[in-house]
Amino acid sequence: MKLFRKDSQFYKQVFTLALPIAMQSLITVGVNMLDTIMVGKLGENSLSATSLANTFISIYHIFCMGLGMGASVLVSRYWGMKSKHDEEEADASVALRQTVALMLRLTIVLAALFAIVTAIIPEVLMTMYSDEPEIIRLGSIYFKFSVVTYFFLGTSLTSTIALRSVGQVRLPLIVSIGAFFINLGANYAFIFGKFGAPRMEIAGAAIGTLIARIFEAAMILGYLFFVDKRIAFKIKDLFMSTGSLIKEYIRISIPVLISDGILAIGNNTVAMVIGHIGPTFVAANAITSVTQQLSTVLIQGVSQAGAIVTGQTLGQGSKEKTMQQGWMFFGLGIALGAVSAFFITAFSGPIIRSYDKVTAETAQIATQLMLAISFIIIFQAANSIMTKGVLRGGGDTKMLMIADNIFLWVLSIPLGIVAAFVFHLPAFWIYVALKFDQVVKTFWCVFRLKSEKWIKKISTKS
């Protein structure tokens, strides 16, 4: 068991995948941060409403990540099988396209469900997060202009993950850069009424995001359908027969969707707890959440690289090499967590001060939350790279589904509720309680990795 080895080829492979993914995530978070600052200029109610509305939309985002990462387990394994150039190659090629077809079908269905709910009961959704009438009103306006966004967000996100699984990481990065400037310009124009556009304030933020998502979907899907030669997926393949793969897809991919979906609901419950603590706490959390996302972009990149590298290595039939890489990924997680903690500690002050319209109480709570995040991030980095990367890439999706949700629902959420509403603890301890599953899950990952039971056989047919 060595956490660090002199294996330049391994680190080169990991960061060749991880850095473009991280850069894309960084751009996305940067857009969100600029959105938050822009909306924050309208006041704390607008800032809180946008943050809480996006909390619900993030449930859909996490579901789509589950669909995409579930499919990625299969896509990366099948891509590894193709590279062996044996009798499995033809079957692997078909299975690749079948996996993407099933993924996109489920994404569209899920988008329709979220769009219907958002359009019909926006006020009800907002009351889950806040009791403040003005925040509910503003959040409902944001929802109204976000209904169509689900379709573009979901299809581009899942397709991006599939393309990454076969090594195509540059295009999504380029598209994200374009979306960054489109979103930035559209938000500025529609929030504040610049360049001849109407001043729409919080609705303008939703419209700016929609325009950027349309651009992303057009570019990513256009490449997947008409240019890509690795997956070789065409529009007609959306309607291809997938019966031979359904059982295998359900066995491997669906547990990821269920796990991430239940986790999304759990994280949403955490947001509800935060929302009912009070508007000041909500505003402080909105400030710190962007910082947390910024500090984890490289961790997310390495996590996705972990799933891809593990799947491809196992597809090539090398179990011993997979175990060595697993421990090295764990070592990377600890190192990246420590770096992220340093980043948060060093830059929390300037970031909080950039929100010049918030109250002194909000800034004080945000400072406590930043300190708590810097502690939790060390554990979060290590277990995320294992659960969302290595163990998932090995096909251990059922066990991860069980473990992730037990730690969240049995441990973190009850602890957070007790800390906030029974003992009325300071913000630091409330956040640590709400995220304590990250600590426990890190130690569980060590035992699971060591057992080797996470390495599962995956076939091209049910």
Side-chain angles (χ1 to χ4, degrees):
M1 182 185 81
K2 289 186 178 181
L3 300 184
F4 303 98
R5 292 174 179 264
K6 292 183 179 180
D7 188 343
S8 59
Q9 185 61 35
F10 167 77
Y11 292 110
K12 180 180 178 181
Q13 182 184 14
V14 170
F15 285 103
T16 298
L17 290 168
L19 288 177
I21 295 172
M23 284 297 296
Q24 185 178 358
S25 298
L26 181 62
I27 291 167
T28 301
V29 173
V31 170
N32 292 340
M33 187 173 186
L34 289 171
D35 288 353
T36 304
I37 293 173
M38 287 182 187
V39 173
K41 299 294 183 182
L42 303 175
E44 285 195 5
N45 283 337
S46 294
L47 174 62
S48 297
T50 304
S51 174
L52 293 175
N54 275 308
T55 299
F56 178 77
I57 295 174
S58 71
I59 299 177
Y60 173 73
H61 187 278
I62 295 174
F63 268 107
C64 288
M65 285 293 294
L67 281 171
M69 292 304 296
S72 175
V73 176
L74 294 173
V75 170
S76 59
R77 189 74 68 94
Y78 295 146
W79 181 247
M81 291 178 183
K82 283 186 66 176
S83 67
K84 292 194 298 183
H85 301 292
D86 58 15
E87 65 277 0
E88 288 186 311
E89 183 177 359
D91 288 341
S93 295
V94 174
L96 265 177
R97 298 197 304 276
Q98 288 177 321
T99 302
V100 174
L102 286 167
M103 177 191 74
L104 287 174
R105 291 173 194 173
L106 288 171
T107 301
I108 292 169
V109 170
L110 193 63
L113 291 174
F114 271 81
I116 291 170
V117 171
T118 302
I120 294 176
I121 53 170
E123 293 86 0
V124 174
L125 296 178
M126 286 303 301
T127 57
M128 294 191 303
Y129 305 104
S130 177
D131 299 323
E132 300 291 325
E134 182 62 11
I135 292 177
I136 293 171
R137 184 187 71 83
L138 291 171
S140 299
I141 293 172
Y142 189 89
F143 275 140
K144 177 183 177 182
F145 290 90
S146 301
V147 171
V148 184
T149 305
Y150 293 112
F151 294 94
F152 300 104
L153 168 62
T155 52
S156 64
L157 177 59
T158 54
S159 297
T160 292
I161 294 172
L163 288 170
R164 287 172 180 167
S165 300
V166 297
Q168 178 52 269
V169 293
R170 291 184 180 180
L171 175 74
L173 174 60
I174 294 170
V175 171
S176 288
I177 293 172
F180 172 87
F181 290 106
I182 290 172
N183 199 353
L184 177 61
N187 273 4
Y188 182 71
F190 288 104
I191 291 175
F192 302 112
K194 304 296 184 179
F195 311 124
R199 181 182 174 91
M200 302 181 70
E201 298 191 348
I202 196 169
I207 290 176
T209 300
L210 172 59
I211 293 171
R213 297 306 184 199
I214 291 173
F215 169 79
E216 284 180 335
M219 297 299 293
I220 295 295
L221 294 176
Y223 181 87
L224 177 66
F225 294 153
F226 303 112
V227 180
D228 175 64
K229 303 298 182 184
R230 299 185 181 186
I231 300 175
F233 191 88
K234 306 300 179 185
I235 293 177
K236 65 180 182 180
D237 292 331
L238 283 169
F239 310 99
M240 72 186 299
S241 174
T242 55
S244 62
L245 191 72
I246 286 179
K247 288 184 180 179
E248 192 72 352
Y249 188 91
I250 291 173
R251 184 176 74 88
I252 298 297
S253 297
I254 297 303
V256 179
L257 171 62
I258 295 173
S259 177
D260 284 7
I262 297 175
L263 277 171
I265 296 170
N267 291 333
N268 199 57
T269 303
V270 171
M272 291 180 190
V273 173
I274 291 173
H276 286 88
I277 293 174
T280 304
F281 199 107
V282 172
N285 187 65
I287 294 170
T288 60
S289 63
V290 174
T291 304
Q292 184 178 8
Q293 292 173 36
L294 281 171
S295 65
T296 59
V297 290
L298 185 55
I299 295 167
Q300 293 171 16
V302 175
S303 295
Q304 292 190 39
I308 295 167
V309 170
T310 301
Q312 291 180 358
T313 303
L314 286 174
Q316 294 165 2
S318 181
K319 181 178 177 180
E320 182 180 352
K321 184 178 179 181
T322 301
M323 283 297 301
Q324 291 178 355
Q325 290 176 345
W327 288 112
M328 292 166 73
F329 271 115
F330 188 73
L332 273 176
I334 295 173
L336 290 174
V339 171
S340 297
F342 173 79
F343 167 82
I344 295 169
T345 303
F347 295 99
S348 61
I351 290 171
I352 293 171
R353 287 193 293 272
S354 69
Y355 294 87
D356 54 359
K357 296 294 182 180
V358 301
T359 64
E361 183 183 2
T362 298
Q364 183 181 20
I365 293 174
T367 301
Q368 290 188 49
L369 292 178
M370 289 288 197
L371 183 60
I373 292 168
S374 66
F375 168 70
I376 292 295
I377 198 68
I378 299 173
F379 299 96
Q380 184 178 340
N383 78 66
S384 291
I385 289 174
M386 300 310 297
T387 58
K388 308 302 181 188
V390 176
L391 301 181
R392 180 175 285 181
D396 198 27
T397 54
K398 289 183 180 178
M399 179 57 70
L400 291 172
M401 176 182 68
I402 295 170
D404 277 347
N405 290 291
I406 285 178
F407 292 137
L408 177 64
W409 288 96
V410 176
L411 187 65
S412 284
I413 291 177
L415 280 176
I417 292 172
V418 170
F421 301 115
V422 177
F423 294 110
H424 304 287
L425 296 178
F428 174 90
W429 293 110
I430 293 173
Y431 186 89
V432 169
L434 287 169
K435 298 291 183 179
F436 197 68
D437 61 316
Q438 302 292 340
V439 178
V440 177
K441 197 157 48 175
T442 301
F443 292 98
W444 176 83
C445 285
V446 173
F447 293 108
R448 189 63 181 172
L449 179 63
K450 189 175 181 179
S451 74
E452 300 187 14
K453 294 179 181 179
W454 55 277
I455 299 177
K456 308 294 183 182
K457 180 178 175 58
I458 293 176
S459 66
T460 57
K461 297 179 181 179
S462 299

